[in-house]
Structures are given as structure tokens and as C-alpha cells.
Amino acid sequence: AVIALTGDGKKRSSMAAEGSFEVNCGGGSIDDLQACGDSAVDGDTLYLTTAAKGGGNNEIVAFDLGTGKAKWRQAAGDKRSLRPLKAANGQLTAYRTGALDEPGEIVSFPVAGGAPKTLLRLPSGPAAKIEGSFLFSRSSFEDGRFFLSVTNLNGDGTDEKLLMAFGK
């Protein structure tokens, strides 16, 4: 369960909506709450992703922190998935992965919901195949640049890709 607390630590609300949600916490140390990926918060809204169905196809759901109820949902699209990156200034910025070897893109949504606006399209070709190999990764979009990096090293002697950076 995901709950919102008041300033004095009392329960404010519990998030409740149809579907199963992925917050991806616990990948780091037990004290590392910043390691919770696939979520963002701004003002009175929490953004979570639903669990992917059949090779992608997840949704972002916006929750009202005061009531715990869903405000809106946005589907990623066929064989794609959405991952919130940050919420600020009335916009939710998200990474939408590509389908198979297709490139992803960075999109933004108004916090009230609505159609996404593309901020950055990632390149196709060999770069898209490498981008798709970053399964367990950290990502950030800052000043028009998108960074994608691994969180764990395999060390199995293969040619590991550690970081990708994209910009206009």
C-alpha cells in the first residue's frame, strides 16, 4: 500500500485505484527512499506506473494525495511503457520506451491530464537497440538532455553499456 502522511506523521490518505502498481523500491539500501523509481510527486499529486502487461503496455496514474483517489490515467501505447521522471511547474515529464528495437521518447503531460507532448525523440538505428538493453536503469531529463545509466554491473566479460546521453 502507498499512503500519504501529514506533516505530523498521521495518515492523510491511502492510494487506491484499479490495477497493480510498480514503485520499484528496495533496489538499494533499506534507507534509500530515493531509489524508488517509476514514481514522481508534485504538490498534491502522486504519479505511479501500473505493472506492465505483455511486454509493455503500462499506464501512468495520477493520484490526489488528499483523497487517495485516481485523478487520471494515461496508457503508454502498444508494446511501450511509461516511466515518470519528474513533476514540476505544472508538467509531468516521463520516458516512454520504444517497442522492440524502436527508439523511445521523452514526453510531458499537463498535471490535469491530457495528451502528451513530445519533448525529445531518441535516435533510431543502433542507438535504439542499445537503449532497449538498459532494463534496470536510472534515468533523468535535465535541460533538454536525457541520461540513461545502469544500476548494476554484470562483470561477466561482455561489452557492457553503462551510460547513454541524448540531447537536441
Side-chain angles (χ1 to χ4, degrees):
V2 176
I3 62 170
L5 302 174
T6 63
D8 60 357
K10 293 188 168 88
K11 182 178 173 183
R12 180 177 176 192
S13 63
S14 293
M15 305 311 117
E18 183 181 324
S20 124
F21 295 87
E22 293 194 9
V23 291
N24 290 332
C25 293
S29 73
I30 196 162
D31 297 325
D32 189 8
L33 293 179
Q34 297 300 320
C36 296
D38 300 343
S39 62
V41 67
D42 183 31
D44 283 331
T45 306
L46 169 68
Y47 304 92
L48 296 176
T49 58
T50 61
K53 304 174 217 161
N57 308 327
N58 75 342
E59 298 175 308
I60 287 181
V61 181
F63 289 92
D64 182 307
L65 289 172
T67 66
K69 295 183 180 182
K71 294 176 163 183
W72 55 265
R73 305 175 88 91
Q74 178 68 47
D78 189 34
K79 296 183 181 160
R80 294 175 157 254
S81 64
L82 281 164
R83 181 189 310 170
L85 297 172
K86 67 180 176 180
N89 304 319
Q91 297 289 312
L92 169 67
T93 304
Y95 170 45
R96 181 166 40 196
T97 64
L100 301 172
D101 288 339
E102 294 178 23
E105 59 187 350
I106 306 303
V107 296
S108 70
F109 300 92
V111 292
K117 173 184 170 188
T118 301
L119 302 176
L120 178 66
R121 290 188 194 280
L122 305 182
S124 58
K129 192 172 209 154
I130 295 169
E131 174 198 341
S133 71
F134 280 77
L135 296 176
F136 304 103
S137 61
R138 293 274 185 244
S139 50
S140 178
F141 184 70
E142 298 296 329
D143 298 323
R145 293 182 300 268
F146 177 60
F147 301 91
L148 190 61
S149 67
V150 297
T151 57
N152 297 314
L153 298 176
N154 289 330
D156 62 4
T158 62
D159 183 19
E160 292 182 83
K161 310 301 188 249
L162 306 176
L163 172 72
M164 292 186 85
F166 304 91
K168 293 182 179 182

